[in-house]
Amino acid sequence: MTAPVISPILPTYSPAELNFVAGEGVYLHGHDGRQYLDFASGIGVTCLGHAHPHLVAALRQHAERPWHVSNIFQIPEQKKLAQRLVDHSFAETVFFCNSGLEAVEAGIKTARRYFHVQGQPHRHRLICAENGFHGRSLATIAAAGQAKMMEGFGPPMPGFDHVAFGDSAAVHAAIGPETAAILIEPVQGEGGIHVASKDYMHALREIADAHDLLLFFDEVQCGMGRTGRFFAHEWSGVQPDIMAVAKGIGGGFPLGALLATSKAAQGMTLGTHGSTYGGNPLAMAIGNAVLDIVLDDDFLDHVRGVGFMLRRGLRKLAKAHPKIIKDARGLGLMIGLECVVENTVMINALRSQGLLSVRASDNIVRMLPPLITEQTHIEDALAAVERACIQLEETA
């Protein structure tokens, strides 16, 4: 039997016929000679845009120093970044890795290990929200519970129960003798930009406290200033016990982190977890450079301001073009454009008008601009959306 022909790159993606030869700030330059306003940000990763001078300087400064030594040696840059994250969050300890998936996996292990050392190893199950997304490992697709991601990969990894996002009563009803933690995204990203209400967040904290559960937030996409707060849960005033972050923390360089309280992390002792690349000096130099900008005075005020401007403008366009788009939702610069037409059709129309965006569930087009986006960029983006709407109306 002849083996099927396969590309050198495993065909798990279907990329657009477009590649980029340069980028600066909020713009990318395509091989087609066109300039694009990048409101995709590599799916929310390039939070400071492209070739940010401070990140470039940090990379150049560290380029001739050791890139990697592993965690069997001291890494001063790692201690610095961990301390800064602790100083600006609920957390008391940080574990560094390379991606959001790894951060979520570390969080799952942390929650299970907590109850192991409490003498309750049977408590290993996590209650998760439907329509979530936590990565593509066997554990994280089981945590998301989406059939489309699990198809063909055997039986789902056990240990996860799923309830409707936003339904605290369903969370309470799902608690059993084996429950260890509650895992949600404060803002669901891939699931369609669904924002958890303050009441829901407070209810989760109360439920977790009443039943001795750990509260675990996945802020891989919605953290690091994306919603206009350093972390999205800050909008509610509710603090988790464990939190996964990635994407924006590295500004385009692969970096993830698990943040936890000392109580939640008490089971994670010597030898219980590790990462060869995690926390390497080069990644830490970039992560610290990102925080230099994101934690600067007034930076997040700016994100909230331009985010409000973008949502307001998109809602006006929805009223003007009701056959194309219906509404816009989200926080800060994590915006979901609710489409009437197929979202992939809208994404292609936006790209033809020089604006890049990202697909999400619920027929949503995600707009995840760099956090350095200015008012003029918002105006240009809204003009591109309007042109795309007119283009689709004329071809309907």
Side-chain angles (χ1 to χ4, degrees), residues 100-116 123-128 134-144 157-160 180-184 214-218 242-244 258-260 264 268 272-273:
L101 179 156
E102 292 171 74
V104 175
E105 287 266 1
I108 294 169
K109 290 180 68 175
T110 298
R112 291 180 171 185
R113 184 76 181 178
Y114 169 78
F115 285 99
H116 172 82
R123 296 184 66 178
H124 66 280
R125 302 190 69 85
L126 277 69
I127 298 173
C128 307
H134 304 292
R136 292 185 180 274
S137 69
L138 290 176
T140 53
I141 62 174
M157 182 176 288
F160 303 96
I182 302 166
L183 167 60
I184 70 150
L214 297 177
L215 186 57
F216 180 2
F217 290 158
D218 178 342
I242 306 170
M243 181 172 67
L258 178 74
L259 283 65
M268 301 303 284
T272 57
H273 196 53

Side-chain angles (χ1 to χ4, degrees), residues 231-262:
F231 295 115
H233 67 265
E234 294 173 10
W235 285 101
S236 67
V238 171
Q239 294 187 339
D241 303 296
I242 306 170
M243 181 172 67
V245 297
K247 290 190 181 287
I249 192 174
F253 195 93
L255 176 57
L258 178 74
L259 283 65
T261 63
S262 57

Side-chain angles (χ1 to χ4, degrees), residues 16-22 29-34 36:
E17 292 295 328
L18 178 62
N19 65 74
F20 301 105
V21 298
H29 297 272
H31 75 285
D32 56 0
R34 297 186 62 191
Y36 293 86

Side-chain angles (χ1 to χ4, degrees), residues 331-359:
L331 285 173
L333 287 173
M334 188 173 182
I335 308 298
L337 185 62
E338 188 176 354
C339 297
V340 177
V341 298
E342 289 292 328
N343 57 3
T344 52
V345 171
M346 188 66 185
I347 286 170
N348 289 334
L350 292 173
R351 189 184 305 138
S352 74
Q353 299 300 330
L355 180 63
L356 305 179
S357 56
V358 185
R359 180 183 177 277

Side-chain angles (χ1 to χ4, degrees), residues 68-79:
H68 175 77
V69 295
S70 89
N71 290 290
I72 63 175
F73 300 103
Q74 296 286 325
I75 302 175
E77 301 90 344
Q78 191 179 117
K79 291 184 177 181

Side-chain angles (χ1 to χ4, degrees), residues 20-357:
F20 301 105
V21 298
E24 72 282 327
V26 300
Y27 296 104
L28 282 169
H29 297 272
H31 75 285
D32 56 0
R34 297 186 62 191
Q35 175 177 275
Y36 293 86
L37 191 56
D38 184 10
F39 273 37
S41 296
I43 317 183
V45 171
T46 51
C47 65
L48 301 181
H50 303 281
H52 191 284
H54 188 62
L55 269 63
V56 171
L59 181 63
R60 285 176 174 165
Q61 183 179 4
H62 206 91
E64 295 183 356
R65 299 177 62 189
W67 293 7
H68 175 77
V69 295
S70 89
N71 290 290
I72 63 175
F73 300 103
Q74 296 286 325
I75 302 175
E77 301 90 344
Q78 191 179 117
K79 291 184 177 181
K80 178 182 177 180
L81 183 54
Q83 188 62 58
R84 296 175 80 182
L85 290 170
V86 165
D87 289 345
H88 290 88
S89 75
F90 72 96
E92 295 164 295
T93 190
V94 181
F95 174 84
F96 290 112
C97 50
N98 312 287
S99 67
L101 179 156
E102 292 171 74
V104 175
E105 287 266 1
I108 294 169
K109 290 180 68 175
T110 298
R112 291 180 171 185
R113 184 76 181 178
Y114 169 78
F115 285 99
H116 172 82
V117 299
Q118 298 297 315
Q120 304 176 70
H122 61 282
R123 296 184 66 178
H124 66 280
R125 302 190 69 85
L126 277 69
I127 298 173
C128 307
E130 295 171 351
N131 207 40
F133 183 83
H134 304 292
R136 292 185 180 274
S137 69
L138 290 176
T140 53
I141 62 174
Q146 296 188 41
K148 64 181 181 181
M149 290 195 296
M150 292 188 289
E151 182 182 359
F153 295 111
M157 182 176 288
F160 303 96
D161 302 302
H162 300 90
V163 298
F165 182 77
D167 189 342
S168 58
V171 172
H172 189 274
I175 296 171
E178 296 181 337
T179 305
I182 302 166
L183 167 60
I184 70 150
E185 301 158 88
V187 183
Q188 289 188 327
E190 195 274 344
I193 314 296
H194 297 288
V195 181
S197 71
K198 289 184 179 180
D199 287 346
Y200 177 54
M201 296 283 278
H202 280 275
L204 293 181
R205 182 71 269 177
E206 291 169 3
I207 291 169
D209 291 342
H211 295 271
D212 187 27
L213 307 176
L214 297 177
L215 186 57
F216 180 2
F217 290 158
D218 178 342
E219 293 219 18
V220 168
Q221 187 170 150
C222 63
M224 302 307 298
R226 173 57 55 188
T227 68
R229 301 286 186 193
F230 191 38
F231 295 115
H233 67 265
E234 294 173 10
W235 285 101
S236 67
V238 171
Q239 294 187 339
D241 303 296
I242 306 170
M243 181 172 67
V245 297
K247 290 190 181 287
I249 192 174
F253 195 93
L255 176 57
L258 178 74
L259 283 65
T261 63
S262 57
K263 174 187 174 182
Q266 63 186 272
M268 301 303 284
T269 53
L270 183 64
T272 57
H273 196 53
S275 170
T276 298
Y277 291 106
N280 67 75
L282 186 57
M284 297 296 94
I286 301 301
N288 275 301
V290 169
L291 288 198
D292 291 342
I293 305 299
V294 175
L295 293 177
D296 191 32
D297 293 342
D298 302 325
F299 184 84
L300 295 177
D301 289 339
H302 170 80
V303 174
R304 292 192 291 272
V306 293
F308 175 77
M309 185 185 306
L310 178 58
R311 288 196 308 279
R312 181 180 60 186
L314 291 173
R315 285 170 177 162
K316 287 182 180 179
L317 289 175
K319 291 180 180 179
H321 303 278
K323 294 183 179 180
I324 308 299
I325 53 178
K326 183 178 180 182
D327 199 3
R329 60 188 186 228
L331 285 173
L333 287 173
M334 188 173 182
I335 308 298
L337 185 62
E338 188 176 354
C339 297
V340 177
V341 298
E342 289 292 328
N343 57 3
T344 52
V345 171
M346 188 66 185
I347 286 170
N348 289 334
L350 292 173
R351 189 184 305 138
S352 74
Q353 299 300 330
L355 180 63
L356 305 179
S357 56

